[in-house]
Amino acid sequence: GPDGAVQLGVAQHLERVVATQPDYHLAWYLYGYCLYSLGELEDARQAFEHHLADKPNSGDAHYGMGLVAFDEDRLADAEACFRKAAEVLRSQKGSKRRTPSQQISKCLARLGDVHLRRSQLGPAREAYEEAVELWPTHEDAWYRLSRVLTRLDETDAASEALAKHDQIVAQLPERQQRE
């Protein structure tokens, strides 16, 4: 589709940028996300690693590494990356760079995904609950929490979580609902 063509164009541009300006750390980070979105997992991992070699406290790059590891079914690595990302982002709270709770919430939700893939329902539930506590309108985390609660036979709590998800989605702009 058109979005894929745009992503490919951006990735090609960033590829030229990192080739000519290898010390431009932000470009490596953005290149990693472009490659990840295009399904180029190995190249994405290498771009994130390049960025992290110079910026080891980039919570967002650790998160990107976690996404790659999760998609490659390397769950121990994914868990370590999402935990590291959350730790780094939490340590930056209160510094000059304001770190929104949404970023930490995304890390926790992905940690919940790791637990869910391992069928560890208790830890998955805890991760999703912490995620929605930090970011009360994190619709994906509410949905995943509802699925875990359903599997735990907690039907009332599952219904409440799903209703919260549906309420949040209903308030999103129409374009976001289709994505």
Side-chain angles (χ1 to χ4, degrees):
D3 289 343
V6 169
Q7 288 174 328
L8 185 59
V10 171
Q12 290 168 340
H13 173 73
L14 288 168
E15 184 174 18
R16 289 189 294 274
V17 171
V18 298
T20 58
Q21 301 176 56
D23 293 333
Y24 188 16
H25 309 296
L26 179 61
W28 281 104
Y29 161 75
L30 295 171
Y31 187 43
Y33 271 100
C34 277
L35 291 167
Y36 172 76
S37 70
L38 292 167
E40 302 288 336
L41 300 181
E42 179 60 26
D43 291 341
R45 184 184 57 75
Q46 289 176 11
F48 287 132
E49 285 175 349
H50 191 96
H51 177 77
L52 285 167
D54 292 304
K55 300 283 184 188
N57 286 327
S58 171
D60 294 332
H62 286 289
Y63 178 82
M65 291 282 288
L67 293 174
V68 170
F70 186 80
D71 283 5
E72 293 176 336
D73 210 33
R74 294 183 294 110
L75 299 183
D77 290 342
E79 179 178 2
C81 290
F82 293 137
R83 286 189 188 284
K84 178 68 174 176
E87 172 191 322
V88 167
L89 291 166
R90 281 188 172 118
S91 75
Q92 293 171 350
K93 265 190 155 179
S95 69
K96 287 181 194 169
R97 178 179 182 262
R98 284 184 28 158
T99 302
S101 297
Q102 287 93 328
Q103 290 173 282
I104 299 167
S105 177
K106 286 181 180 182
C107 296
L108 295 170
R110 288 301 188 158
L111 194 55
D113 294 348
V114 170
H115 292 307
L116 191 55
R117 187 168 290 175
R118 291 175 173 155
S119 294
Q120 298 170 332
L121 300 181
R125 175 189 187 160
E126 291 171 17
Y128 295 136
E129 286 176 341
E130 190 176 352
V132 297
E133 186 178 319
L134 278 173
W135 183 14
T137 57
H138 189 173
E139 71 276 4
D140 293 338
W142 278 111
Y143 180 77
R144 293 179 192 134
L145 177 59
S146 77
R147 300 304 308 143
V148 168
L149 292 168
T150 297
R151 287 179 61 184
L152 289 168
D153 280 335
E154 296 189 29
T155 52
D156 289 345
S159 294
E160 288 175 29
L162 186 58
K164 185 69 175 168
H165 164 268
D166 293 347
Q167 175 189 6
I168 294 163
V169 170
Q171 295 173 354
L172 292 175
E174 192 176 317
R175 185 179 184 312
Q176 279 184 284
Q177 291 182 32
R178 286 183 274 136
E179 292 176 351

